[in-house]
Amino acid sequence: MIDQLSWVAAYPEILLLTMASVIALVDLSVKSPMRTATYVLTLLTLAVVAYLQGAGAASGQTVVGFGGLIVSDPMGQWLKCFAAIAMLVTLVYGRAYAGSRDMLRGGDLFTLSLFALLGMFVMIAGHNFLVIYLGLELLTLSSYALVALRRDDGKAIEAAMKYFVLGALASGFLLYGLSLVYGATGSLDLAEVMKAISGGPAGLKSSAQVLTLGLVFVVAGLAFKLGVVPFHMWVPDVYHGAPTAITLMVGGAPKLAAFAIVIRLLVEGMGPLAIDWQQMLAVLAVASLLIGNLAAIAQTNLKRMLAFSTISQMGFMLLGLLAGVVVGQKGLDTSNMANAYGASMFYVVTYVLTTLATFGVILLLSRDGFESEEIADLAGLNQRSPLYAGVMAVCMFSLAGVPPLVGFYAKLSVLQALLASSQPFYIGLAVFAVVMSLIGAFYYLRLVKVMYFDAPTQTAGISAGMDVRSVLSVNGALVLVLGIVPGGLMALCAKAVASLFA
């Protein structure tokens, strides 16, 4: 770990903040309805920031800045790199959709997306309770405005209000939990909190009951950000009500940041309490897999189906976090940490990759005056465009966990981490997850059946710019290629997570 100048640890974030402010000013003089200059400048900014984060991660160094408030380590930098790429792809897919619905007025879409990404960066880099919370609030406040960006749409305004009210409640849970942990340990710094908890009752400023109560509220707040049962109420409504481009923005890159703060708070900050938070995560994972998959079967709206799919997918990701620490006869066994948390990181990265391609197709099928939101809207898509039908089919098979696609290896790596524990409880969870995956395969494969075997209900042509077609083709190809050769990304995730415990 290197404690250097603070600017070294945060220069990509500083660049992102500077460019977000510059782009907001530049947009004042842009006259194009499609905001071409703003769009190009935003994409260049995201590409440069992604490169800087990737280059920093490749160096393998861990740099602490601002007196320990932030940390720049390989895991965080790779997650920030992937988040920047995900935001870039989201804007490429969503620009035409937003332009046809008068959502580019004032360039708010681009500046708010950059500030939302900055919030993710701060969340991922935070090594202090206050910094993590500030990053979370920057992301959520930007997200509320993005969901309500289509001001003449009642559904979008309603979704933004629900998101705001429930998000404020969840933020209150998390802040209250963090304040209780602070009261019990006497520190806001993750390393100091870990040290105080590891020291037992002698290291605590207050009783262990206060610490446990704080942990309950922290897990509840994190569960809301992940969108897992029973804190999932906002997910279907926001996915359905928000404009589709914003749905992708809410359901894509922020999952990487949510994964990061779970690792930061629960593993790096409260690792010795694993026996407590693992039980809570187990309940959340089982409930999410069960309710998410069963509720998705009943949906006819495509975006609501994908919302419940997200809930079940996040439940699966939590299983990997469960397997990191095993409670044995000799205490906590941490030998499986890097493998299990690496599997969870691989899972969330590949899930975001698949989600981008899925919503990319949905955005392509939407046109001025028509939202491609119902499952029936995809009927006969193969006859209209074999390429887009193929990309969507690859994504559905991947989400269902069908080999040799990347979703299969993501699920397999999590199951292997569970089985490596050799504990009956974890083996039972693995069996339950497989059964839930079989149930979930029904609604994914139903979508493939609709695209290839139902008569088309739409006859309008599908038009898209060269940038969208190129990015979507690469996106779909990656879902397939990373499934055939997953070793590189798996090794990257495992190495990045292992750096936390070096």
Side-chain angles (χ1 to χ4, degrees):
M1 183 178 293
I2 302 175
D3 193 352
Q4 293 184 353
L5 292 172
S6 299
W7 311 115
V8 175
Y11 71 93
E13 285 83 354
I14 295 169
L15 174 63
L16 181 61
L17 173 61
T18 303
M19 289 307 300
S21 303
V22 168
I23 288 170
L25 293 173
V26 168
D27 187 77
L28 295 174
S29 60
V30 174
K31 304 300 182 184
S32 167
M34 294 299 289
R35 290 299 197 263
T36 303
T38 309
Y39 170 68
V40 172
L41 199 54
T42 302
L43 294 193
L44 287 174
T45 300
L46 291 171
V48 170
V49 168
Y51 172 77
L52 292 176
Q53 297 289 7
S59 70
Q61 290 187 337
T62 297
V63 182
V64 177
F66 294 97
L69 291 177
I70 64 169
V71 61
S72 179
D73 54 20
M75 185 199 77
Q77 288 177 314
W78 278 124
L79 287 172
K80 287 186 277 188
C81 174
F82 295 143
I85 293 171
M87 188 62 75
L88 185 152
V89 173
T90 299
L91 291 176
V92 171
Y93 290 158
R95 181 191 178 214
Y97 175 96
S100 64
R101 287 155 180 80
D102 198 26
M103 291 168 55
L104 296 181
R105 182 178 50 236
D108 296 339
L109 174 66
F110 302 111
T111 51
L112 284 171
S113 64
L114 290 178
F115 281 114
L117 182 64
L118 179 61
M120 295 178 221
F121 281 14
V122 175
M123 287 168 65
I124 295 170
H127 208 251
N128 181 285
F129 288 165
L130 281 179
V131 175
I132 291 173
Y133 185 75
L134 287 173
L136 181 63
E137 286 303 292
L138 179 56
L139 169 61
T140 52
L141 290 173
S142 301
S143 299
Y144 302 150
L146 284 165
V147 173
L149 201 56
R150 196 176 177 189
R151 286 168 281 184
D152 57 346
D153 185 1
K155 284 198 307 182
I157 301 301
E158 180 186 352
M161 289 297 294
K162 289 178 179 176
Y163 193 16
F164 172 72
V165 172
L166 293 173
L169 182 64
S171 292
F173 277 7
L174 183 61
L175 188 59
Y176 184 56
L178 293 177
S179 67
L180 289 175
V181 175
Y182 167 65
T185 61
S187 178
L188 295 170
D189 183 80
L190 292 180
E192 293 299 321
V193 169
M194 170 75 92
K195 189 183 298 183
I197 296 173
S198 300
L204 298 179
K205 305 292 183 183
S206 184
S207 66
Q209 286 81 4
V210 173
L211 184 62
T212 304
L213 181 62
L215 178 62
V216 171
F217 278 98
V218 168
V219 171
L222 294 175
F224 177 91
K225 299 307 172 186
L226 287 169
V228 293
V229 176
F231 305 96
H232 67 293
M233 300 81 68
W234 65 276
V235 180
D237 289 337
V238 172
Y239 271 50
H240 184 196
T244 306
I246 308 303
T247 301
L248 176 54
M249 205 168 284
V250 170
K255 299 301 181 190
L256 299 167
F259 168 80
I261 62 168
V262 171
I263 293 290
R264 297 287 189 216
L265 292 176
L266 297 186
V267 178
E268 291 192 69
M270 291 176 270
L273 299 177
I275 190 171
D276 296 313
W277 56 255
Q278 277 188 328
Q279 296 175 46
M280 290 183 270
L281 293 189
V283 173
L284 296 174
V286 169
S288 300
L289 285 167
L290 183 64
I291 294 177
N293 282 309
L294 293 180
I297 293 174
Q299 304 304 315
T300 58
N301 182 276
L302 182 56
K303 286 163 68 176
R304 291 189 78 87
M305 186 203 85
L306 291 172
F308 284 108
S309 162
T310 297
I311 294 167
S312 68
Q313 298 284 346
M314 289 300 101
F316 216 109
M317 187 269 291
L318 287 180
L319 294 178
L321 296 174
L322 279 173
V325 181
V326 179
V327 182
Q329 295 179 348
K330 298 181 180 180
L332 297 179
D333 179 6
T334 59
S335 60
N336 197 38
M337 288 177 74
N339 179 44
Y341 299 147
S344 286
M345 181 176 169
F346 179 80
Y347 196 99
V348 73
V349 168
T350 55
Y351 166 74
V352 171
L353 175 70
T354 310
T355 298
L356 288 169
T358 302
F359 277 95
V361 175
I362 297 172
L363 286 165
L364 269 180
L365 297 179
S366 302
R367 58 184 185 276
D368 193 11
F370 175 74
E371 299 285 342
S372 180
E373 290 188 354
E374 300 297 321
I375 293 176
D377 294 334
L378 269 65
L381 179 60
N382 183 55
Q383 299 178 37
R384 299 169 59 201
S385 174
L387 172 63
Y388 301 148
V391 170
M392 186 63 118
V394 164
C395 292
M396 292 300 105
F397 283 130
S398 179
L399 291 171
V402 175
L405 300 169
V406 72
F408 167 75
Y409 288 99
K411 285 181 164 59
L412 180 63
S413 62
V414 170
L415 294 174
Q416 286 175 330
L418 284 170
L419 296 176
S421 66
S422 301
Q423 297 285 329
F425 176 67
Y426 293 101
I427 294 172
L429 283 177
V431 172
F432 176 77
V434 171
V435 173
M436 289 298 103
S437 293
L438 291 174
I439 293 174
F442 169 78
Y443 57 85
Y444 293 124
L445 299 183
R446 177 182 64 184
L447 201 60
V448 177
K449 173 259 179 189
V450 168
M451 291 190 299
Y452 281 86
F453 298 107
D454 285 11
T457 56
Q458 303 291 329
T459 57
I462 304 172
S463 60
M466 180 59 71
D467 56 343
V468 178
R469 291 200 302 272
S470 302
V471 172
L472 185 60
S473 299
V474 172
N475 197 168
L478 280 174
V479 175
L480 177 60
V481 171
L482 287 176
I484 297 172
V485 283
L489 183 57
M490 280 184 167
L492 183 150
C493 293
K495 185 178 179 181
V497 171
S499 68
L500 297 176
F501 315 110

